Amino acid sequence: MRRLFIAGNWKMNMKLDSAKALAEGLKAEAAGVGEVDIAVCPPFVYIPAVAEILAGSNIGYGAQNVYFEKAGAFTGEIETAMLTDFNCKYVILGHSERRHIMGESSELVNKKVHAALAAGLTPIVCVGELLSEREAGVTSQVNRRQFDGSFSGVSAEDMKKCVIAYEPVWAIGTGKVATPEQAQEVHADLRALMTERYGKEVADVVRIQYGGSVKANNAQELLSKPDIDGALVGGASLKVDAFMGIINACRSIQK
């Protein structure tokens, strides 16, 4: 059985006071949640403050990115050891904003995946198509290409330690949401691809989150689909009540 996993991507949307208040609020409201795994990924500079607040709680935390090299002359980058110094568990890699705004390739994401796994971090690896690609009917090809590039050389045992987040680029921050049927179709295709590459045992274990304008009023319908194992939440994770609405909407769903 795959436990549902809800992760909040706070992006570049806060200052120190709001990051701390959000962490405090979530810690209090989610204290009794045991059916769902929860994590938040604040901006790098607020990880220490959030880590201090969430220490010992049932909420994990991580970063929104990491560099693949170890310590050295890489001005402006963050290495994995800097994250593990603060007991980070997760790191988001290959988010569409990194791929399409910062120009990150799947080959670069792949290097980061290997570095994260070597450091004991759980990579949340994002894949997803542009609106033009969906309209052209190449959604499967795009996601399969991103998957193969991002996970190249990852062993079956390490693949079990990864999380995939399917985020259709056209649904991120737009208010548009893939229908549950559209999302399930892509998730099932990714599960089939993992079966091809790694076998059914691995494919049955790896969790595939959906991301793209997830809210409390659509979370249960999305997460009830057999191959949707959680959500990577953007804007709705920035308010305690909205994020808890998503968490509570899926607490009773069992895979």
Side-chain angles (χ1 to χ4, degrees), residues 59 105 167 206:
I59 303 174
S105 65
E167 293 200 315
V206 177

Side-chain angles (χ1 to χ4, degrees), residues 3-140:
R3 280 172 59 88
L4 293 174
F5 176 32
I6 308 298
N9 177 11
W10 292 355
K11 304 188 181 183
M12 199 175 72
N13 284 317
M14 56 188 53
K15 299 295 188 287
L16 179 59
D17 286 349
S18 55
K20 292 168 69 175
L22 185 50
E24 291 278 13
L26 286 172
K27 180 180 178 180
E29 292 296 320
V33 176
E35 309 94 330
V36 180
D37 291 332
I38 308 168
V40 296
C41 294
F44 284 128
V45 292
Y46 301 139
I47 289 175
V50 170
E52 183 176 358
I53 291 168
L54 296 182
S57 76
N58 60 333
I59 303 174
Y61 55 88
Q64 299 172 15
N65 189 31
V66 77
Y67 197 51
F68 63 88
E69 294 281 10
K70 295 189 181 297
F74 304 103
T75 300
E77 296 295 341
I78 299 290
E79 68 158 320
T80 55
M82 296 174 181
L83 301 184
T84 56
D85 270 349
F86 290 97
N87 296 315
C88 286
K89 183 176 181 181
Y90 303 98
V91 59
I92 301 171
L93 299 174
H95 191 279
S96 66
E97 291 152 8
R98 302 295 311 177
R99 291 181 188 266
H100 297 292
I101 298 176
M102 281 65 175
E104 291 192 4
S105 65
S106 291
E107 291 73 23
L108 177 57
V109 175
N110 179 244
K111 292 180 180 180
K112 295 181 178 186
V113 169
H114 283 281
L117 288 166
L121 294 164
T122 296
I124 301 173
V125 183
C126 303
V127 300
E129 79 282 3
L130 299 167
L131 179 59
S132 60
E133 292 167 332
R134 172 164 282 275
E135 291 177 339
V138 294
T139 294
S140 179

Side-chain angles (χ1 to χ4, degrees), residues 142-159:
V142 170
N143 289 315
R144 283 173 168 250
R145 182 172 66 248
Q146 290 180 359
F147 177 95
D148 282 337
S150 300
F151 290 107
S152 178
V154 174
S155 69
E157 285 306 306
D158 276 343
M159 190 67 216

Side-chain angles (χ1 to χ4, degrees), residues 214-252:
V214 179
K215 297 178 175 62
N217 62 6
N218 60 32
Q220 188 163 13
E221 190 176 7
L222 283 163
L223 294 169
S224 65
K225 294 298 183 182
D227 290 295
I228 301 179
D229 305 316
L232 182 57
V233 185
S237 71
L238 299 175
K239 294 184 178 180
V240 174
D241 57 348
F243 197 35
M244 285 303 304
I246 295 170
I247 293 167
N248 288 327
C250 67
R251 288 177 71 179
S252 62

